[in-house]
Amino acid sequence: MKTDTLYQHGTLALLVPGLLTGTLTMKELLQHGDTGIGTGEGLDGELIILAGKPYQVNSRGEVHVVGDDFTLPFANSHFADYQPLMSVESASKTDLNQQILELSGLQNAFFSIKITGTFSGVKTRAVAKSSQPYKSLAETAKQQSVFTRDEVAGTLIGYYSPQLFDGIAVGGFHHHFLADDHTFGGHLLDFAAVTGDVSIQLFSTLEQHLPVDNDDYRQHDFAQDNIKEDVHQAEG
Amino acid sequence: MKTDTLYQHGTLALLVPGLLTGTLTMKELLQHGDTGIGTGEGLDGELIILAGKPYQVNSRGEVHVVGDDFTLPFANSHFADYQPLMSVESASKTDLNQQILELSGLQNAFFSIKITGTFSGVKTRAVAKSSQPYKSLAETAKQQSVFTRDEVAGTLIGYYSPQLFDGIAVGGFHHHFLADDHTFGGHLLDFAAVTGDVSIQLFSTLEQHLPVDNDDYRQHDFAQDNIKEDVHQAEG
């Protein structure tokens, strides 16, 4: 079991023009890890995989476990082997990310972050599934629901990608969240404070898998897309 | 043996500020393929791997087989499983690259190109090894030798990388060359015409390995580098 490899299916860039066809099954994704994040076909919700179980937060805020045949246009997974980094008390999102980078010194590496603890002032989002013909990410992301909780115990699974890889992956931090009681979660937009345990897992290798059998992907001209701008507006 | 995976050690971007320490041995590179290209520590010549044998063209134009302990800052390898694409007669470099893209339809995929045949009006280059403290790619690339042949029989090994990955890999085509008689080769700058057989190998996966244990890489701030400009000037 390779714990030094981060698997990625698709690239962030292909979401920008709306190449949202599910080109990998959950079964396939889970062959590359027991932990991960992603989105479904048509930006169908926000996925978080914990201990081999894939949870989807849909645009109504509901959390469901998805089946093996659920398909994804973009996702990450890896086999968990986190190492403790630090404990935090009432750390803001900005402080947390900064402390992780300073302590780890891994600004130019891919790594995953796992935090278990209590989060306050939490804001998540989940996008509503769209159907073909897909619109651009900028358009589709408008159909997102935002959910908030004053205080919630749960798990954050995030990835950090070097800025060099921005557009391929999400440059910087990208966090998903799932409440312990499975009643709340999604793409983590913000939180005011977290108290809990932070662990990280360094990857020496990014296994970048592309949907080379998908005609829309093969034929698309990415030169016309404003990849970095659109992505960071949508991921905000 | 995975023939659908392209292994890459380092990224093109790390050459720009002069992170030229050899962070992978040839022995390790050959574990990921029997075919490939790369450069040695300090930009020590141009490498081409054919049938498991790593040839180096140094800045005097000499071709040597390098040993297992030869180290590289940036290299690609894969296990050869080329499929015939076409035969060409007196095709220019521009025409060749265009025909390959049109016939294969693989503009958004990583693939390798192998051409055996006779090349005329050939121009190759090899950079001279520099030592620490390393200068930038722009500076080091000035210490390159250019070699020409009116006509030579040999093998071209090249890679095509999607423009999305420009800066990580060399966006577009990147060809190395070795003459059948091993008296000529290097990074292929240009040729007037080639007559021979063209085969390609499609990869669904880029296995991107980063030198995460190298302190200079870990600490470098890439935000200050003009990666794409400097790379394409030097790779020209």
Side-chain angles (χ1 to χ4, degrees):
Chain A
M1 216 170 57
K2 288 186 296 184
T3 58
D4 61 352
T5 295
L6 169 62
Y7 177 80
Q8 177 164 290
H9 172 73
T11 78
L12 186 61
L14 54 75
L15 303 182
V16 171
L19 296 167
L20 304 181
T21 301
T23 42
L24 191 84
T25 64
M26 183 53 77
K27 186 178 181 177
E28 291 167 318
L29 182 62
L30 291 173
Q31 285 164 2
H32 300 275
D34 54 21
T35 305
I37 67 177
T39 187
E41 175 164 278
L43 297 186
D44 186 11
E46 309 283 343
L47 278 288
I48 181 168
I49 306 170
L50 290 175
K53 220 163 186 182
Y55 302 91
Q56 177 205 33
V57 182
N58 69 21
S59 63
R60 290 186 300 280
E62 300 157 353
V63 180
H64 297 288
V65 173
V66 300
D68 276 352
D69 55 351
F70 184 87
T71 63
L72 311 96
F74 182 56
N76 289 93
S77 70
H78 73 280
F79 289 103
D81 182 25
Y82 290 94
Q83 304 301 321
L85 182 73
M86 62 178 174
S87 293
V88 285
E89 216 180 301
S90 300
S92 70
K93 190 185 169 206
T94 307
D95 284 352
L96 176 85
N97 288 349
Q98 198 180 323
Q99 282 180 49
I100 291 172
L101 269 187
E102 276 176 14
L103 256 176
S104 69
L106 295 177
Q107 57 173 331
N108 292 324
F110 289 90
F111 63 92
S112 181
I113 306 98
K114 181 175 183 175
I115 307 179
T116 51
T118 304
F119 297 72
S120 64
V122 188
K123 201 162 108 180
T124 63
R125 75 103 196 274
V127 177
K129 181 175 185 173
S130 62
S131 8
Q132 280 185 312
Y134 299 120
K135 293 180 185 152
S136 68
L137 179 66
E139 284 300 312
T140 310
K142 286 180 188 166
Q143 307 302 316
Q144 71 173 27
S145 306
V146 173
F147 311 102
T148 57
R149 279 286 172 97
D150 287 342
E151 192 166 289
V152 58
T155 300
L156 175 158
I157 294 290
Y159 291 101
Y160 175 88
S161 304
Q163 287 300 335
L164 279 178
F165 288 81
D166 194 30
I168 304 303
V170 182
F173 289 96
H174 182 192
H175 301 314
H176 282 201
F177 183 79
L178 184 66
D180 285 344
D181 63 7
H182 297 181
T183 62
F184 175 81
H187 173 94
L188 193 55
L189 291 173
D190 202 7
F191 57 85
V194 55
T195 296
D197 296 314
V198 181
S199 56
I200 64 169
Q201 181 173 351
L202 167 64
F203 306 113
S204 60
T205 297
L206 172 71
E207 188 177 343
Q208 169 64 68
H209 181 254
L210 294 172
V212 293
D213 295 328
N214 179 267
D215 280 342
D216 292 337
Y217 173 73
R218 278 168 91 122
Q219 286 157 21
H220 185 74
D221 179 8
F222 286 95
Q224 62 192 339
D225 303 320
N226 294 319
I227 293 167
K228 293 191 186 183
E229 274 173 51
D230 285 12
V231 153
H232 288 283
Q233 203 166 346
E235 291 293 324
Chain B
M1 216 170 58
K2 289 185 296 186
T3 58
D4 62 351
T5 295
L6 170 62
Y7 177 80
Q8 176 164 289
H9 173 72
T11 78
L12 187 61
L14 55 75
L15 303 183
V16 171
L19 295 167
L20 304 181
T21 301
T23 43
L24 191 85
T25 63
M26 182 53 77
K27 186 178 180 177
E28 290 168 318
L29 182 63
L30 291 173
Q31 285 163 2
H32 300 276
D34 55 19
T35 305
I37 66 176
T39 185
E41 174 163 279
L43 297 186
D44 186 11
E46 309 282 342
L47 278 287
I48 181 167
I49 306 171
L50 290 175
K53 221 164 186 181
Y55 301 90
Q56 178 204 33
V57 181
N58 68 21
S59 63
R60 289 185 301 279
E62 301 157 352
V63 180
H64 297 288
V65 173
V66 300
D68 276 352
D69 56 351
F70 185 87
T71 64
L72 311 95
F74 182 56
N76 289 94
S77 70
H78 73 279
F79 289 102
D81 181 27
Y82 291 93
Q83 306 300 322
L85 182 74
M86 62 177 176
S87 291
V88 286
E89 216 181 301
S90 300
S92 70
K93 189 184 169 206
T94 307
D95 285 351
L96 176 85
N97 289 348
Q98 199 182 321
Q99 283 181 49
I100 291 174
L101 269 186
E102 276 175 14
L103 256 177
S104 68
L106 295 177
Q107 56 173 335
N108 293 324
F110 289 89
F111 63 91
S112 180
I113 306 98
K114 181 175 182 173
I115 307 177
T116 51
T118 304
F119 296 72
S120 64
V122 188
K123 201 162 109 179
T124 63
R125 74 102 197 275
V127 178
K129 179 175 187 175
S130 62
S131 2
Q132 280 185 309
Y134 297 121
K135 292 179 186 153
S136 68
L137 180 65
E139 283 299 311
T140 311
K142 287 180 186 165
Q143 307 302 317
Q144 72 173 26
S145 306
V146 172
F147 311 102
T148 58
R149 279 285 173 97
D150 288 342
E151 191 166 288
V152 57
T155 300
L156 174 158
I157 293 290
Y159 292 100
Y160 174 88
S161 305
Q163 287 300 334
L164 279 179
F165 289 81
D166 193 30
I168 304 302
V170 182
F173 288 96
H174 182 192
H175 301 313
H176 282 201
F177 182 80
L178 184 66
D180 286 344
D181 64 5
H182 297 180
T183 62
F184 174 80
H187 171 94
L188 192 56
L189 291 174
D190 202 9
F191 57 83
V194 56
T195 296
D197 296 315
V198 181
S199 56
I200 64 168
Q201 181 174 350
L202 166 65
F203 306 112
S204 61
T205 298
L206 172 71
E207 187 177 345
Q208 169 64 67
H209 181 254
L210 294 172
V212 294
D213 295 328
N214 180 268
D215 280 341
D216 291 339
Y217 173 73
R218 278 169 92 122
Q219 287 158 21
H220 185 75
D221 179 7
F222 286 95
Q224 62 190 341
D225 302 321
N226 294 318
I227 293 167
K228 294 191 185 183
E229 276 173 49
D230 285 12
V231 153
H232 287 282
Q233 202 165 346
E235 291 295 322

